[in-house]
Amino acid sequence: MQRRSAIKNLTMAMGGLLSLPSWASGWTPDSIGSVSMLSFNEENTLAEIVETIIPETNTPGAKSLKVHQFAMRMVNDCYAEPAQQSFKQGLKTTDDAAQKAYSKGFVECTPQQRLELLKQLSTSSDTNAKQFVNTIKNLTIQGYMNSEYVMVNIQKYNMAPGFYHGCVPVKK
């Protein structure tokens, strides 16, 4: 009786292992689920905020490396509901502050105006605005430093370090 059960379990395990590559390669953004809990305008505002924090120079900026999508996914998947609402409120506060200061939305502001606005929010007396700026700054740095471009081209990350070089001449 135990032999039949062992063969059955082994067959199930092998079937699962054989079907895993076809299942994993079929992932699409639609099958994984929505990354965004934000509206289109909020997502654009977030993209411009991360681009303001790490702008594009001779290396890609945070927006072109899609760090804003990383930040959205982190907030959506790892933060509790009150923190998610606070994050959305921080985006609204940022846009409202830009409207008040420059009579246009955050997305329409110049890079210098955006930077000044984020500095004002980070030093304001509003704790929610301060917390929002600190959170998005941390998520932007984390997402940028862990992006494929930075890991491969700047950090020179090797997936399997410690190569073996058998016949190497020894210097005296």
Side-chain angles (χ1 to χ4, degrees):
M1 191 72 145
Q2 290 178 344
R3 190 179 324 167
R4 287 183 185 171
S5 149
I7 291 173
K8 178 182 165 188
N9 290 341
L10 184 61
T11 305
M12 293 292 286
M14 289 302 291
L17 285 174
L18 291 175
S19 67
L20 182 64
S22 64
W23 171 72
S25 66
W27 288 349
T28 63
D30 295 331
S31 69
I32 291 174
S34 176
V35 172
S36 180
M37 62 177 182
L38 306 174
S39 69
F40 182 73
N41 290 335
E42 290 172 329
E43 188 174 338
N44 285 341
T45 302
L46 181 60
E48 294 304 327
I49 290 172
V50 299
E51 184 67 21
T52 303
I53 295 170
I54 302 178
E56 191 158 334
T57 56
N58 56 354
T59 60
K63 183 179 174 182
S64 59
L65 293 179
K66 298 186 182 353
V67 173
H68 63 287
Q69 290 181 351
F70 168 80
M72 286 187 301
R73 177 65 87 171
M74 288 295 288
V75 169
N76 198 28
D77 291 352
C78 301
Y79 287 49
E81 185 66 32
Q84 291 175 5
Q85 294 305 318
S86 175
F87 189 81
K88 287 183 80 164
Q89 183 60 38
L91 286 171
K92 186 177 180 330
T93 302
T94 304
D95 222 20
D96 291 345
Q99 195 71 24
K100 185 177 178 183
Y102 303 112
S103 300
K104 52 187 170 182
F106 187 83
V107 175
E108 290 87 28
C109 291
T110 65
Q112 186 61 32
Q113 290 173 335
R114 292 177 191 165
L115 186 60
E116 287 299 319
L117 195 63
L118 288 178
K119 284 180 182 177
Q120 288 172 5
L121 288 174
S122 68
T123 59
S124 72
S125 60
D126 183 10
T127 57
N128 290 333
K130 242 189 228 186
Q131 184 180 7
F132 169 74
V133 172
N134 288 334
T135 300
I136 195 59
K137 221 185 279 188
N138 290 336
L139 287 172
T140 300
I141 292 169
Q142 181 183 4
Y144 189 81
M145 293 306 293
N146 290 318
S147 69
E148 181 181 1
Y149 177 83
V150 171
M151 293 299 285
V152 171
N153 298 321
I154 297 173
Q155 297 291 333
K156 305 297 182 198
Y157 175 76
N158 289 324
M159 187 69 161
F163 297 103
Y164 175 72
H165 303 288
C167 298
V168 178
V170 177
K171 294 181 182 177
K172 292 183 181 183

